[in-house]
Amino acid sequence: MLHLAEALGFSGRKVVAALAALPFPIAHGHSLRDALRTQQQALPWTLLSSGGEQQVSRCFAQSVVLRGICRENPGSCPGKRPHSTLQACETEEEVLQRYLQTSFPGAFSASHVLEQPCPTLPPYPQFFSPLLTKQGLLLDQPLGSSTAVESIPVAAALQAAPVLHAVLRGLCRELRALGTRRCAGFFAAGVEEEEFREALHDLRALAECYKTHVEADESEDETDSD
């Protein structure tokens, strides 16, 4: 994980955000290209890292792994023009890579597709919707009898994304608000006041590495409100 984060964190960036879709939303009898087409502008995974319910719509670099997706025959027929860029892809790896390139233009994207799903046999908690099959695929209507979900397709991603600018700045504000004079026990453990202030400075500098023009405007608004 450390080496992967370092590979994604160029230009002074050292932190990545974790995202996941558990289970990955794919309907029974549908292909990966069908699932991604129905997502349209809404990404199929959500942010797990600190940062609230923000939608990660931009990133600098990312690594995405999708598992539990069955292989299908090529979707484009010979002599027939595909009606979408995803339809023109011949493999699931190409479908996912094309989707990432379209959703995050200009970002470095590494992707992997694995057939083996994530097992959810006991003692894995059965907190899934009744609309899922044993294989974790979505149904239009629940099955007549309750059935334990034995496996699910999962998507996981690590991203060096601008959303981390707000996350790191928020952490810096929380640390400043502690008030070092009220944390005598903290400094008694061996942390020097100067080291603490230097760490805060480094954290704020790290946050600036994730700033784009959008985050710059938001930072100015925060400064004005302060």
Side-chain angles (χ1 to χ4, degrees):
M1 292 292 288
L2 177 61
H3 294 308
L4 181 56
E6 289 178 349
L8 297 175
F10 48 84
S11 300
R13 306 179 186 107
K14 302 178 181 180
V15 180
V16 291
L19 303 95
L22 192 154
F24 180 79
I26 181 169
H28 178 67
H30 286 207
S31 65
L32 175 60
R33 71 189 79 228
D34 295 330
L36 294 178
R37 260 203 314 265
T38 57
Q39 291 295 325
Q40 296 180 351
Q41 299 299 322
L43 296 173
W45 43 73
T46 56
L47 182 65
L48 301 181
S49 302
S50 175
E53 299 180 354
Q54 301 186 54
Q55 177 72 24
V56 181
S57 57
R58 293 168 293 135
C59 75
F60 306 110
Q62 62 184 335
S63 176
V64 180
V65 176
L66 178 60
R67 58 183 297 185
I69 301 298
C70 296
R71 305 287 175 176
E72 64 165 340
N73 295 326
S76 54
C77 300
K80 183 178 180 180
R81 184 177 181 180
H83 55 77
S84 70
T85 56
L86 294 181
Q87 196 70 28
C89 300
E90 296 186 356
T91 66
E92 282 69 22
E93 288 82 1
E94 292 180 5
V95 171
L96 179 57
Q97 188 66 25
R98 182 68 59 85
Y99 176 79
L100 294 176
Q101 291 173 352
T102 303
S103 301
F104 302 94
F108 166 78
S109 298
S111 60
H112 302 277
V113 179
L114 309 176
E115 289 191 52
Q116 183 180 9
C118 177
T120 55
L121 297 174
Y124 201 98
Q126 290 294 317
F127 48 62
F128 301 106
S129 166
L131 293 176
L132 292 184
T133 67
K134 288 183 179 182
Q135 294 74 34
L137 303 178
L138 290 170
L139 297 171
D140 294 331
Q141 296 180 350
L143 296 173
S145 58
S146 59
T147 304
V149 178
E150 298 178 354
S151 64
I152 54 173
V154 175
L158 292 178
Q159 292 183 342
V163 67
L164 290 168
H165 176 260
V167 172
L168 295 173
R169 280 180 59 89
L171 177 59
C172 191
R173 284 195 300 269
E174 292 177 6
L175 291 173
R176 285 203 309 266
L178 285 176
T180 55
R181 295 182 180 180
R182 293 179 294 176
C183 300
F186 178 70
F187 292 102
V191 180
E192 299 291 339
E193 175 79 22
E194 188 62 29
E195 292 178 348
F196 181 74
R197 294 186 179 277
E198 183 178 349
L200 284 179
H201 178 270
D202 292 343
L203 183 60
R204 187 177 182 87
L206 179 60
E208 294 302 301
C209 294
Y210 295 88
K211 184 170 64 175
T212 64
H213 68 280
V214 176
E215 283 71 32
D217 294 340
E218 293 176 351
S219 298
E220 293 175 1
D221 294 340
E222 292 178 3
T223 304
D224 294 339
S225 63
D226 293 341

